Amino acid sequence: MTPDPLTEEELKRLDNIAWTMENLLPLPGTSVRIGLDSFLGLVPVIGDLCTIVPAAYIIRAAARAGVSRRVLIRMCLNVGVDLVVGVVPVVGDIFDATWNASTRNMQLLRVWLHQNQ
């Protein structure tokens, strides 16, 4: 597959997806922010599985852009850890609020883009 460079507009869209999923609302009295990922995670199993869609969209965009296999594996591991721990009642919900797999993946993508462009 020929790499398809990401435009600044596409990067902003991906950032917006990650932000909405993980940083939409501040938790009062803390420095922690939560997003749709945390709310969906309250629905056992199905909610956690629904959070894979936006995370996979970010990974797919990175793959289309030609990101290295190593970075893609790290991105998939971030989402995998989020999913596996996220299905554990209570502990998973707290973990969802702090792990932020999509934000981590956007950081990996931006570092890779900076180093390879």
Side-chain angles (χ1 to χ4, degrees), residues 62 67-76 105 108-109 112:
V67 169
S68 72
R69 183 176 301 231
R70 182 172 186 250
V71 173
L72 290 174
I73 289 170
R74 287 184 64 195
M75 293 173 95
C76 289
N105 288 346
L108 287 170
L109 175 58
W112 186 88

Side-chain angles (χ1 to χ4, degrees), residues 4-11 14 61-62 64-65 67 109 113 117:
D4 182 20
L6 293 170
T7 65
E8 202 51 45
E9 182 179 315
E10 290 169 315
L11 279 172
L14 296 173
R64 277 194 346 264
V67 169
L109 175 58
L113 289 170
Q117 289 183 353

Side-chain angles (χ1 to χ4, degrees), residues 19 22-34 97-98 100:
W19 186 85
E22 301 168 343
N23 297 297
L24 189 61
L25 302 168
L27 284 179
T30 71
S31 62
V32 176
R33 297 182 67 86
I34 59 172
T98 58
N100 297 335

Side-chain angles (χ1 to χ4, degrees), residues 4-108:
D4 182 20
L6 293 170
T7 65
E8 202 51 45
E9 182 179 315
E10 290 169 315
L11 279 172
K12 285 181 184 177
R13 184 171 354 110
L14 296 173
D15 278 331
N16 199 13
I17 290 169
W19 186 85
T20 301
M21 291 305 294
E22 301 168 343
N23 297 297
L24 189 61
L25 302 168
L27 284 179
T30 71
S31 62
V32 176
R33 297 182 67 86
I34 59 172
L36 294 181
D37 187 321
S38 295
F39 292 110
L40 289 170
L42 294 173
V43 179
V45 183
I46 294 171
D48 292 304
L49 291 174
C50 289
T51 64
I52 291 175
V53 174
Y57 183 79
I58 292 171
I59 294 170
R60 174 75 175 125
R64 277 194 346 264
V67 169
S68 72
R69 183 176 301 231
R70 182 172 186 250
V71 173
L72 290 174
I73 289 170
R74 287 184 64 195
M75 293 173 95
C76 289
L77 286 173
N78 282 338
V79 174
V81 167
D82 191 24
L83 179 63
V84 169
V85 178
V87 297
V88 178
V90 182
V91 172
D93 298 324
I94 295 167
F95 185 78
D96 269 342
T98 58
W99 181 250
N100 297 335
S102 291
T103 300
R104 290 170 184 265
N105 288 346
M106 285 306 299
Q107 290 170 343
L108 287 170

